[in-house]
């Protein structure tokens, strides 16, 4: 660090700390002190636990077929069996892993891409911004699921393809939000001051712009996790999931393909969809909570 | 001013379309090697592949291939379906009206129901009706639309068999009149349209609710009340028309979701539209059809966005002034 940078670093943190809306106590209160936070966190933690230990907890091998096909719930199979006689409950436990892994990994890719594009466009402005903005616009306009389908079909389905395809197609909203935030930050006194003291672009972005944008990125990324979980389920349902892994989406695909709805096999079609719905609800609830916290104007509007 | 604004929007839409075509070209012609798709038979000799490449213009330089591609697309020559061996455009032409019927009815119902629910919730903010409607809309947002569709089949076609569980009309049926045929289609439409409406409803509701909440705090509402106008008249004649404006923009944003929903919901109900066509193409690895449906979905969304922009411009004098 050059002396100038050291000087600006010494001068600025006080003001930067006021700018950044996140502090440890606030987030803890948000998650544990409000009922929405407690329920959301509880459900997400529960599903993460299942994602890690689900295969150990499963009473049966989720792929094991038997002659007992499409059997309704009983003491030996609490959620009945599939068209191949496998245990629905075991598949449900094992399936959590794909949803959680794809949801979080794809959201992470989307957050990194969106932040990078938003930071670069918002900070440098000019042609950089105009071309990045056009790219963002394109991704915002083009229908997402058909785009994901086309990419996944060409690349051949696997877990990594799912993560990449969802991550690469869902960053534009984050980019837009980050860009707007950086636009306002760029003109603030503490950034001007750092620049006057000779701080470089990378230093200013890293020390002043990014810390003040991070809470916003975080809140947005939590909402993207929900979208990514839904996208994984939809792609898997359409037959573009990882063929070697069970997920809630592939369970619905198999159930539908084997005619379980017409056979009245509610135990096979309701649980996977319900798991997706509850997990997405819990994640979105946390996302909205963070969003309100980062942007209190939203809360006033909701009254 | 108006002319320049409109020209800018049309140019923007046109550029997005060019982007789609370039993207399609690279995706399907460059990344997905077309000869391997053309010569699906593993025993084809190198000479046969060479001949195929020549027939399809694949021996030309990339720029020449691109020019051919743009020309073909402009003439709606989208290739031949590998499944049915029919021209892709013919397949799309057959499927498009069914998708428009499903998507149009669903969007219309979702707009009407969603805004009506939004008004109810906003005027009873914090009360039980508001909480109930909010929870319901969050649930429909989080629940996969195809799962809702499966449950509709389970309940209304299997347990209480009042509606058919798929297709657009009774197969093999002879209809004595247009009216009979329309009734049959309507009967088949109810469940998929319900699934589509439920999928879109939540967003319309949330936007209408927050828009209504904003409008109800504005000065003109207070002034109208002060004139002694009854509350329900203030809401109906003055607040609602103003609050409807953001829905126009929303409907444009929604078109992307509509395209996705068309694919999954049509799949569930074997509804013979573009979505079902895409699903078959995914299953059969029928790239020309997949490419064609993606193009049509994209063009649909781009045009819908443009129309919504124009409508918004026409409806909101504040945009015209700025």
């Amino acid at each position: 660090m050059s002396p100038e940078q050291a000087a600006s670093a010494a001068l600025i943190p006080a003001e930067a700390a006021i700018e950044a809306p996140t502090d440890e106590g606030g987030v803890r209160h948000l998650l544990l002190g409000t009922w929405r936070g407690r329920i959301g966190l509880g459900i997400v933690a529960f599903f993460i636990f299942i994602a890690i230990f689900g295969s150990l907890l499963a009473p049966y091998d989720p792929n094991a077929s038997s002659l007992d096909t499409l059997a309704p719930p009983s003491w030996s199979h609490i959620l009945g069996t599939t068209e191949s006689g496998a245990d629905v409950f075991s598949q449900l436990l094992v399936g959590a892993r794909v949803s959680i892994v794809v949801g979080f990994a794809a959201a992470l890719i989307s957050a990194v891409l969106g932040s990078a594009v938003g930071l670069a466009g918002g900070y440098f402005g000019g042609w950089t911004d105009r071309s990045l903005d056009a790219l963002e616009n394109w991704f915002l306009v083009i229908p997402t699921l058909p785009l994901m389908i086309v990419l996944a079909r060409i690349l051949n389905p696997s877990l990594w393809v799912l993560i990449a395809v969802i991550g690469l197609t869902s960053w534009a909203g984050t980019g837009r939000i980050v860009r707007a935030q950086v636009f306002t930050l760029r003109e603030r006194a503490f950034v001007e001051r750092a620049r006057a003291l000779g701080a470089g672009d990378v230093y200013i972005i890293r020390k002043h712009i990014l810390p003040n944008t991070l809470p916003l990125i975080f809140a947005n990324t939590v909402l993207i996790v929900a979208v990514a979980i839904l996208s994984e389920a939809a792609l898997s349902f359409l037959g573009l999931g990882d063929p070697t892994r069970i997920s809630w989406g592939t369970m619905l695909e198999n159930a539908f393909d084997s005619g379980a709805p017409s056979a009245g096999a509610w135990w096979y079609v309701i649980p996977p969809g319900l798991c997706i719905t509850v997990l997405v609800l819990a994640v979105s609830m946390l996302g909205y909570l963070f969003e309100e916290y980062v942007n209190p104007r939203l809360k006033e509007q909701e009254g | 001013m108006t002319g320049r604004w409109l020209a800018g929007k049309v140019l923007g839409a046109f550029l997005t379309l060019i982007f789609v075509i370039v993207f399609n070209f690279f995706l399907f012609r460059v990344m997905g090697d077309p000869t391997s798709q053309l010569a699906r038979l593993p025993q084809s000799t190198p000479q046969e592949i060479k001949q195929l490449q020549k027939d399809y213009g694949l021996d030309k330089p990339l720029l020449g291939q691109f020019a051919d591609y743009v020309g073909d697309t402009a003439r709606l020559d989208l290739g031949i379906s590998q499944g049915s061996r029919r021209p892709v455009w013919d397949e799309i032409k057959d499927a498009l009206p069914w998708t428009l019927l499903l998507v149009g009815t669903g969007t219309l119902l979702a707009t009407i129901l969603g805004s009506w629910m939004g008004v109810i919730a906003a005027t009873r903010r914090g009360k039980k009706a508001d909480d109930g409607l909010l929870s319901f809309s969050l649930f429909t947002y989080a629940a996969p639309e195809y799962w809702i569709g499966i449950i509709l089949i389970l309940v209304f076609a299997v347990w209480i068999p009042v509606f058919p569980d798929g297709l657009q009309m009774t197969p093999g049926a002879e209809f004595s009149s247009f009216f009979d045929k329309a009734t049959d289609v309507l009967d088949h439409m109810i469940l998929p349209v319900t699934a589509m409406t439920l999928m879109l409803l939540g967003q319309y509701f949330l936007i209408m609710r927050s828009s209504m909440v904003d409008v109800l705090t504005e000065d003109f509402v207070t002034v109208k009340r002060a004139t002694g106008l009854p509350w329900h008249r203030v809401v109906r004649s003055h607040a609602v028309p103003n609050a409807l404006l953001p829905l126009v923009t929303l409907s444009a944003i929604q078109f992307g979701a509509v395209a996705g929903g068309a694919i999954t919901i049509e799949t569930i109900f074997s509804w013979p539209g573009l979505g079902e066509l895409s699903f078959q193409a995914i299953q059969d690895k029928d790239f020309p059809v997949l490419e064609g449906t993606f193009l049509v979905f994209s063009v649909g969304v781009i045009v819908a966005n443009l129309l919504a922009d124009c409508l918004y411009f026409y409806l909101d004098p504040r945009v015209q002034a700025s």
Side-chain angles (χ1 to χ4, degrees):
Chain A
M1 195 189 281
S2 69
E4 293 91 347
Q5 283 173 336
S8 72
L11 274 170
I12 280 96
E15 196 172 343
I18 297 167
E19 289 292 325
T22 309
D23 58 288
E24 290 286 316
V27 171
R28 191 174 305 143
H29 170 76
L30 208 62
L31 289 175
L32 301 173
T34 60
W35 68 268
R36 284 197 295 168
R38 280 198 294 261
I39 294 180
L41 189 66
I43 294 174
V44 173
F46 171 76
F47 278 112
I48 291 178
F49 177 82
I50 300 291
I52 299 171
F53 299 108
S55 46
L56 300 173
L57 297 168
Y60 294 90
D61 174 358
N63 294 311
S65 49
S66 71
L67 293 174
D68 207 9
T69 59
L70 281 186
S74 62
W75 285 116
S76 49
H77 297 282
I78 57 168
L79 285 177
T81 62
T82 71
E83 80 282 0
S84 62
D87 184 46
V88 173
F89 182 62
S90 301
Q91 290 202 346
L92 206 59
L93 288 174
V94 173
R97 190 171 295 170
V98 174
S99 284
I100 294 277
V101 168
V102 174
F104 282 85
L108 191 69
I109 293 181
S110 150
V112 170
L113 270 176
S115 315
V117 170
L119 281 170
Y123 186 80
F124 294 110
W127 273 108
T128 319
D129 184 40
R130 246 169 284 168
S131 39
L132 289 175
D133 189 47
L135 191 68
E136 261 169 28
N137 257 331
W138 192 76
F139 273 101
L140 284 175
V141 170
I142 292 311
T144 318
L145 188 66
L147 180 61
M148 287 182 191
I149 288 174
V150 161
L151 287 171
R153 181 70 282 177
I154 285 191
L155 295 171
N156 279 326
S158 78
L159 193 69
W160 297 109
V161 165
L162 277 177
I163 293 172
V165 162
I166 297 171
L168 288 175
T169 50
S170 49
W171 56 271
T174 311
R176 188 47 57 87
I177 292 168
V178 170
R179 174 174 175 261
Q181 171 82 349
V182 174
F183 263 139
T184 64
L185 284 173
R186 199 175 57 169
E187 308 305 328
R188 293 287 183 79
F190 65 92
V191 175
E192 298 257 308
R193 205 177 307 159
R195 198 175 292 133
L197 286 166
D201 288 335
V202 175
Y203 180 82
I204 293 177
I205 290 180
R206 204 160 45 98
K207 284 284 174 181
H208 300 301
I209 308 272
L210 192 58
N212 289 307
T213 320
L214 222 45
L216 201 69
I217 296 173
F218 181 74
N220 191 252
T221 303
V222 176
L223 290 172
I224 301 280
V225 171
V227 176
I229 292 171
L230 283 173
S231 304
E232 181 277 325
L235 288 173
S236 297
F237 173 71
L238 292 169
L240 293 170
D242 187 329
T244 62
R245 282 171 228 263
I246 295 169
S247 86
W248 297 330
T250 52
M251 283 178 77
L252 284 174
E253 182 207 2
N254 293 333
F256 178 73
D257 282 353
S258 64
S262 312
W266 55 269
W267 58 87
Y268 190 11
V269 296
I270 290 180
L274 199 61
C275 283
I276 298 169
T277 308
V278 171
L279 180 57
V280 169
L281 264 181
V283 172
S284 323
M285 215 147 80
L286 292 181
Y288 291 134
L289 212 59
F290 288 128
E291 209 176 42
E292 274 173 19
Y293 183 68
V294 176
N295 184 3
R297 223 179 69 87
L298 286 173
K299 195 167 185 173
E300 278 162 32
Q301 276 177 350
E302 284 300 310
Chain B
M1 177 63 215
T2 311
R4 256 192 81 184
W5 179 88
L6 189 66
K9 285 287 171 194
V10 172
L11 186 70
F14 189 67
L15 283 179
T16 314
L17 181 63
I18 300 274
F19 249 56
V20 170
I21 293 175
V22 173
F23 177 81
N24 250 344
F25 174 73
F26 272 93
L27 209 60
F28 288 96
R29 302 295 149 108
V30 182
M31 268 174 71
D33 172 25
T35 35
S36 69
Q37 292 160 33
L38 293 170
R40 272 274 199 71
L41 305 165
Q43 61 267 44
S44 37
T45 61
Q47 286 95 328
E48 282 174 334
I49 291 178
K50 268 247 158 60
Q51 188 56 43
L52 272 173
Q53 283 180 328
K54 215 174 137 102
D55 290 351
Y56 283 82
L58 293 170
D59 52 346
K60 289 188 195 170
L62 210 56
L63 210 62
Q65 284 187 42
F66 182 65
D68 284 354
Y69 180 72
V70 173
D72 288 347
T73 309
R75 281 191 303 272
L76 297 175
D77 177 1
L78 305 176
I80 307 282
S81 159
Q82 292 173 353
S84 67
R85 309 307 304 175
R86 290 176 65 208
V88 172
W89 178 246
D90 288 355
E91 296 264 7
I92 288 174
K93 249 188 342 203
D94 290 349
L96 191 61
W98 291 110
T99 295
L100 289 177
L101 181 65
L102 175 66
V103 157
T105 320
T107 303
L108 190 69
L109 285 175
T111 317
I112 295 170
L113 276 174
S115 41
W116 177 66
M117 283 161 52
V119 172
I120 291 183
T123 48
R124 293 171 183 69
R125 200 148 56 115
K127 302 233 175 78
K128 275 216 176 90
D130 185 25
D131 286 347
L133 287 171
L134 267 175
S135 314
F136 175 73
S137 73
L138 283 177
F139 179 81
T140 56
Y141 165 76
E145 68 283 352
Y146 46 95
W147 180 61
I148 302 257
I150 293 180
I151 291 182
L152 287 173
I153 291 178
L154 200 63
V155 176
F156 296 107
V158 179
W159 287 343
I160 319 164
V162 279
F163 296 116
D165 65 353
L167 296 177
Q168 79 286 23
M169 54 179 98
T170 313
E174 299 277 337
F175 299 108
S176 53
S177 67
F178 175 78
F179 182 75
D180 273 7
K181 193 174 166 185
T183 320
D184 192 52
V185 170
L186 193 68
D187 196 37
H188 284 79
M189 250 176 85
I190 288 175
L191 291 187
V193 165
T194 309
M196 189 57 123
T197 308
L198 284 174
M199 169 187 139
L200 300 173
L201 193 61
Q203 292 283 327
Y204 283 106
F205 163 75
L206 288 176
I207 296 288
M208 187 62 186
R209 180 181 174 276
S210 76
S211 165
M212 252 325 254
V213 166
D214 277 357
V215 169
L216 286 177
T217 59
E218 274 184 37
D219 290 340
F220 79 91
V221 172
T222 321
V223 171
K224 283 288 167 193
R225 285 205 75 181
T227 62
L229 204 64
W231 178 234
H232 65 92
R233 287 275 312 273
V234 177
V235 169
R236 208 177 307 157
S237 320
H238 298 281
V240 171
N242 281 291
L244 278 172
L245 217 50
L247 286 195
V248 178
T249 323
L250 177 71
S251 54
I253 300 168
Q254 288 269 66
F255 282 116
V258 165
I263 296 178
T264 52
I265 292 174
E266 287 181 7
T267 301
I268 284 290
F269 291 98
S270 312
W271 186 261
L274 288 174
E276 164 80 6
L277 192 62
S278 313
F279 177 69
Q280 287 306 329
I282 296 170
Q283 303 275 300
D284 306 344
K285 280 202 166 192
D286 192 343
F287 287 102
V289 172
L290 203 55
E291 191 183 338
T293 52
F294 178 65
L295 185 69
V296 174
F297 279 130
S298 304
V299 170
V301 171
I302 293 168
V303 170
N305 266 294
L306 188 63
L307 287 180
D309 273 343
C310 293
L311 191 62
Y312 197 83
F313 183 80
Y314 172 74
L315 289 176
D316 191 349
R318 285 172 295 190
V319 182
Q320 293 170 37
S322 66

